[in-house]
Amino acid sequence: MTTSASAPLPASVLEALARYDTPTICNAMEIVAPERRLIGYTVKPLVCPFPTLPPIVGYARTVAIRSVLKSGLSAEEQSKRRIEYYEYVGTGFGPRISVIQDIDGPDVGYGAFWGEVQSNVHKALGCLGVITDGSIRDIPQWAPGFQALAGSIGPSHAWVHAESFGGEVRVAGMTVRSDDLIHADSHGAIVIPYEIAAKLPEAAELCGRRETPILDIARSKDFTLEKLKDALKRSAEIH
């Protein structure tokens, strides 16, 4: 059983954000917070085994893992650390998204932290999915509806263990802190500052209205370069 503290944003804001794919949220961010045009989102490709799942929006639970080196903790200490980790993941603002950095350097993805067991446990703890530069496995046995963006897919978990949790991590070029608001889908993920989250749906609608005249003519059997020029002009006048 998990608990959730009072969230910093109304559930209705998260629900509104989830109606849009992540590229559209990135477009909206360019309008609302143009200073973030080069930061705050994944910039390296990630594997998504479940591309048809809808976008997820939730608060980050951050973890650093490694698998090449065996944990230096005793079995008793490892058991205690695992419980502490699950307590961290299963409490706080909800819904939650696991954001996990593999710190094995050139051996990133050597062992998979994620598979049948962890996906089902984290889903039960209130997580919607995972974003990691590490590897994942057990794709056919994965928790239904639990989204995954990963650096790779591999067979073994090697010596994988959580090295730390609750701190700052960097995954696929995206820096994330515990409790950051994350929007993700098969394209990648983006961090959304609390103070602008409620403004993004309206900006996303504006982006859609600006694209409509261009797409209409591009898809038309009567397409001409002159009509495209006119559509571009009309698009620029939409505010």
Side-chain angles (χ1 to χ4, degrees), residues 3 37 47-48 104 107 113 125 132 149 167 169 181 228 230:
T3 59
R37 198 178 184 106
V47 177
C48 180
D104 274 331
D107 291 317
F113 184 86
L125 287 170
T132 181
L149 295 173
V169 297
L181 183 63
L228 176 59
D230 178 67

Side-chain angles (χ1 to χ4, degrees), residues 60-64 88 97 99-100 164-169 176-178:
R61 280 289 174 263
T62 56
V63 191
Y88 165 67
I97 296 174
V99 184
I100 297 193
S164 63
F165 47 88
E168 181 178 291
V169 297
V176 181
R177 298 174 179 84
S178 190

